Amino acid sequence: MKRKDLFREGLKSVFQFTFTKADELTEAIKEVWEDEKTPKPKSARKKKPPSSSEKSVSKPTVVRKRKTKMFQTLSLPPGASPDFFSLCTGCNECIFACPYAVLFPVTIPESGKSYPHFDPNAKACHLCTDWPCISVCPEEALLPYELSGEKPNFGKAKAITEHCINEKTGESTCNVCIVTCPIEKTVKFKGNLPTFASSSCTGCGLCVESCPSFPKAIQIKFKK
């Protein structure tokens, strides 16, 4: 067996284990959600006998659904076509092809199918010049970008100035975001604080990943 094939089989074994655990986690989360939807009984207290007027009116039980932020910061891979969810078979070839291990599968509870995603606020897309994730897709669910230089549009970077090192020091202490950004003239400084040009920012997340502040002084805001 060739070294490349051996490496691929090893990766598949690792991801298969991850998929199994992810499915188990999904089922556990669904059980928690179902439990949260079930109205909890109030503490047992002696109540006064209802009056005749109260007996005649029974109020329906209202179950308030708790909103969850799960998966709200996830983005599809580069080049995702408008028909991505109908074309993608979940083969995970793009996941294996990514040299930075950015992509990972996410199971949709309604369909039980898994699709590749990534979170630019956690690990950035490096905007590879050869787009290995796109070129390896066998179903054209990921479409190549035009030679004109078109770039992805995952979202837009936004500065959280109160977390910025420069805001804390009052000086131009850090410029990591402008050094790391792969798109020229996207990051500029207004005084000693960074600003991001919405016209050229791809939302790749490299500025977030490299930001040394904690909490991060930059966040990718997603398109609604």
Side-chain angles (χ1 to χ4, degrees), residues 41-174:
K42 295 182 179 179
S43 57
R45 295 184 300 175
K46 290 184 179 181
K47 297 181 179 180
K48 295 180 180 180
S51 63
S52 57
S53 60
E54 290 177 336
K55 287 182 180 179
S56 60
V57 179
S58 58
K59 295 182 179 180
T61 302
V62 178
V63 180
R64 298 185 182 276
K65 294 183 179 181
R66 182 178 297 177
K67 294 182 179 179
T68 176
K69 293 184 178 180
M70 182 173 288
F71 303 154
Q72 287 186 3
T73 62
L74 297 186
S75 178
L76 294 176
S81 74
D83 300 322
F84 175 81
F85 289 103
S86 60
L87 294 174
C88 179
T89 61
C91 68
N92 300 317
E93 288 296 327
C94 58
I95 294 177
F96 299 135
C98 179
Y100 298 98
V102 173
L103 300 173
F104 54 86
V106 174
T107 301
I108 307 300
E110 290 78 9
S111 64
K113 291 185 64 177
S114 294
Y115 301 94
H117 288 73
F118 83 104
D119 185 350
N121 283 309
K123 197 166 186 179
C125 172
H126 286 245
L127 304 179
C128 303
T129 55
D130 55 348
W131 301 108
C133 57
I134 296 177
S135 60
V136 77
C137 180
E139 304 297 337
E140 296 187 350
L142 303 179
L143 301 176
Y145 293 102
E146 300 297 331
L147 297 178
S148 60
E150 182 184 358
K151 297 293 183 183
N153 185 10
F154 305 118
K156 303 298 177 186
K158 181 180 180 181
I160 307 175
T161 55
E162 61 265 29
H163 297 160
C164 183
I165 291 176
N166 294 347
E167 173 71 12
K168 295 176 181 178
T169 61
E171 301 175 356
S172 298
T173 306
C174 178

Side-chain angles (χ1 to χ4, degrees), residues 11-28 92 105-107 112 114:
L11 273 179
K12 285 186 177 180
S13 299
V14 172
F15 276 111
Q16 187 60 47
F17 174 79
T18 304
F19 300 160
T20 302
K21 293 302 179 184
D23 289 340
E24 293 177 0
L25 179 60
T26 300
E27 291 300 321
N92 300 317
V106 174
T107 301
S114 294

